[in-house]
Structure formats: C-alpha cells, structure tokens
Amino acid sequence: MTRGQKLLWWVLLVLGVLLAVVAGAALWAYQRLDGNISTDHAAADALDRDADERPEARAGDGARNILVIGHDFGSGTGNARSDTVLLLHLSADGTRADAVHVPRDIVVDIPACRTEEDGWSEATRAQFNWAFQFGGAACTIRTFEQMTGIRVDHHLAIGFEGFAEVVDAVGGVEVELDEAEHDPNVGHDLPAGRHLLDGEQALAYVRARIFVGDGSDLNRLARQQEFLGLLYERITDQDTVADPTRLYPVLKAVTSAITADAGLDSLDELYGLAKDLKAVPEDGVGFRTVPTLPHTSEPNRLRLDERAAARLFAAVRQDRSLPPVP
C-alpha cells in the first residue's frame, strides 16, 4: 500500500465503516448515528454570500470535488487551524478517485472571510492552514478555490477529538519506534520500542512535528499516513466489524466527528459516496501532493511550484487523469 493510498484510507475510515450501519444496524442505532452528523450551515451561508467570487460550477457532468478538512478545533490547541486538507476528486465516469493533499505550510493569499461574529477577517498572505482559523470551512474552501481555480462541490470537516475517540473505540493502535520521541509542543513523549497508543497518545503522535524526524510538515504527513493505515486495519478487523458492541462505539465516534454540507450530512448520502469510492478500480485511485518548493524568504514554509501545480489543477478542473509525478 502506498503512502497516498493510506491517506485515502482516512476518507474510507470515515465513510467505509458507515457501510456497516446501512448493512445491518437496528433502526434506533441508525437514527441515533444519523443524528450525530452536524450540518455546516455557517459555511453554506458564507459561501452563498460570496458566490460571485467562486469558480463556476461544472455543468452537471457527474464529476465531484469534495474537500476533506481535518482540524484541531476542540483538541486543546487554542488555534482551531486545519491540520490536514485533502481534495477528493471523483471522475464523471466513476473510474477514477484522485486524492490531492494540500500541505498546510504553503504560503498563499487568503481572502477576506466572514467570521463567526459575522464580521470580516482581513485579506492576507499566510500559510494555508490559517484560513480555517480566520473563517472556518468556508474560508478554507475559498482559499483553496482561489489558489487552484477548482470549484468545491461538497466538504467534510473532521475534528481531531473524534479521531482520538475512534482510536479509543478500537482499543488503541500499536506502533513501534526505533528511537525515543519527544515533542513538548503536542505532549508527545515515548521511549523506543512497541507501544499501544490510546486516543490522547495517538493524537499527540500524529501531530508531532518539530522535534520528530526532520521537523517538516511532509515528514509529519508521512507519519499520519502510516498511522491511519494502522487504524484502518484495526477498524476493518473482523472482530470489530462482526461485534455490534465494538462496532457501535466506533461508528458513534466517527459520525460525531463529522460536520458536512447539506449534500453529505446524512448516513444515506455518505453511504452513497462510500459505495462510489469502493466501486473505483484499484488502478483508478491516484494520489498527489500539491507541488511545492521551499519558500524563498520564510524558513520552514513552502510556496507553490507554479508550473507543476498549474498542470495538476488543470487536470482536476477538466476531469482528466492526473499528470505524472515529475
């Protein structure tokens, strides 16, 4: 399994396990789980008000662009920024699912966005993940659209507090460290060896960056991809799927972590998306990271590789296969 596929498993983690609900959950369980999913009315209102500044929607050809936002709101960080942003593009003919990761440290133009108090943030040039702090999912969407020219059709926002609850619901996830790791910024402190991480420890593990490896965001992305692959394996283990007493807490944690637009805010709609994803042939799954270069004036930040990024963005806009990795 490639790193890109492992990141796509996080989307399947949120969507694929919901198949079990539709397949055999009792009506009371289905209704309770369906009610856990929050509808992002604030983002819808903000995007409607700024409709004139967004790229035009495709003319109903069936292709879909879904922005998946993993954020740390409610996880005790105090800054409510997006930690992981992934565009999931499903082709009109159903034969391709392309996942495009947006590094959080790209320095981009963030437009003026509506705030929770119905005021405005100032347009600024800053790293991409600050957009969520300025104006929630709507600001992240508008920043992404402005950078790429790609119209976002739907979005899913997934809170990190839900991630920790999923880990606890499966009884923890085991990792093995070749050497001790310590990152005081996120409360990560583990000696070398094998560890069964609970939700709080897992959250620190996937957020560790500055003092782990080379300290880069891309290094942390690789850690997250590896861990999500391990978590997916725990969830899809037959002992979990076949045991309602183990599966229900997992599904409760997953659904409670989701905030979505009105087109993806129910189990039926997520079930349909999960089925479409699972129907994509294995060789039709692609993964790319938005092409970047080291920033010329800001240490530890990135800038767009303009030519390579333009080719990638054009392919998504035109529903073509993604260009080869340079």
Side-chain angles (χ1 to χ4, degrees):
M1 185 185 298
T2 67
R3 286 178 176 177
Q5 288 171 320
K6 285 179 179 177
L7 184 57
L8 186 56
W9 287 144
W10 176 236
V11 181
L12 292 175
L13 171 70
V14 174
L15 301 176
V17 293
L18 299 175
L19 293 170
V21 181
V22 180
L27 179 60
W28 69 268
Y30 183 95
Q31 292 173 334
R32 290 183 64 180
L33 292 168
D34 192 65
N36 288 340
I37 302 169
S38 299
T39 305
D40 199 343
H41 297 294
D45 291 343
L47 292 172
D48 284 345
R49 288 193 292 258
D50 300 328
D52 292 344
E53 300 178 15
R54 302 183 64 196
E56 289 188 13
R58 294 179 63 90
D61 62 1
R64 285 167 287 171
N65 294 315
I66 300 161
L67 203 65
V68 182
I69 304 168
H71 63 85
D72 52 18
F73 182 78
S75 62
T77 61
N79 54 22
R81 294 173 182 166
S82 60
D83 200 78
T84 299
V85 173
L86 175 80
L87 179 75
L88 180 62
H89 173 80
L90 288 95
S91 65
D93 62 7
T95 63
R96 297 191 324 277
D98 296 319
V100 179
H101 173 256
V102 185
R104 51 175 280 167
D105 288 346
I106 301 178
V107 177
V108 297
D109 291 321
I110 299 176
C113 295
R114 297 178 189 271
T115 65
E116 288 185 357
E117 296 77 21
D118 208 28
W120 286 88
S121 65
E122 293 186 6
T124 186
R125 188 160 179 82
Q127 63 188 62
F128 178 79
N129 70 320
W130 288 19
F132 191 87
Q133 179 181 356
F134 294 153
C139 195
T140 298
I141 290 168
R142 289 195 56 225
T143 301
F144 175 84
E145 291 181 338
Q146 180 174 283
M147 177 178 69
T148 65
I150 297 168
R151 171 76 173 223
V152 172
D153 302 307
H154 299 288
H155 72 276
L156 291 168
I158 305 168
F160 268 140
E161 68 277 13
F163 167 84
E165 291 174 6
V166 173
V167 173
D168 284 335
V170 298
V173 174
E174 193 172 77
V175 299
E176 186 166 5
L177 303 180
D178 294 331
E179 57 186 31
E181 294 184 352
H182 178 64
D183 187 342
N185 289 342
V186 296
H188 177 58
D189 189 7
L190 292 174
R194 189 174 291 273
H195 304 276
L196 181 65
L197 304 185
D198 62 20
E200 183 178 356
Q201 292 171 315
L203 185 57
Y205 179 88
V206 299
R207 298 189 70 244
R209 173 187 173 187
I210 300 297
F211 299 95
V212 175
D214 64 8
S216 70
D217 185 49
L218 296 179
N219 176 70
R220 177 168 60 176
L221 172 62
R223 289 167 60 85
Q224 291 176 348
Q225 291 166 351
E226 180 181 7
F227 189 87
L228 293 174
L230 295 172
L231 178 55
Y232 183 81
E233 290 171 4
R234 290 281 289 176
I235 289 178
T236 55
D237 180 87
Q238 186 61 30
D239 290 341
T240 299
V241 173
D243 184 350
T245 63
R246 295 182 61 180
L247 180 60
Y248 183 81
V250 173
L251 295 170
K252 182 175 182 245
V254 169
T255 52
S256 298
I258 296 173
T259 300
D261 67 89
L264 286 177
D265 61 346
S266 72
L267 286 178
D268 284 345
E269 288 162 332
L270 291 173
Y271 172 69
L273 178 57
K275 284 208 309 181
D276 291 343
L277 275 172
K278 294 177 78 69
V280 174
E282 186 175 348
D283 60 1
V285 177
F287 176 82
R288 295 290 188 279
T289 296
V290 170
T292 59
L293 298 169
H295 201 279
T296 53
S297 61
E298 299 190 35
N300 301 318
R301 296 294 179 265
L302 302 169
R303 59 187 174 91
L304 280 182
D305 181 340
E306 296 287 353
R307 293 181 64 182
R311 289 193 294 270
L312 175 65
F313 300 155
V316 175
R317 287 195 303 268
Q318 297 163 18
D319 194 22
R320 294 186 282 107
S321 298
L322 299 185
V325 178

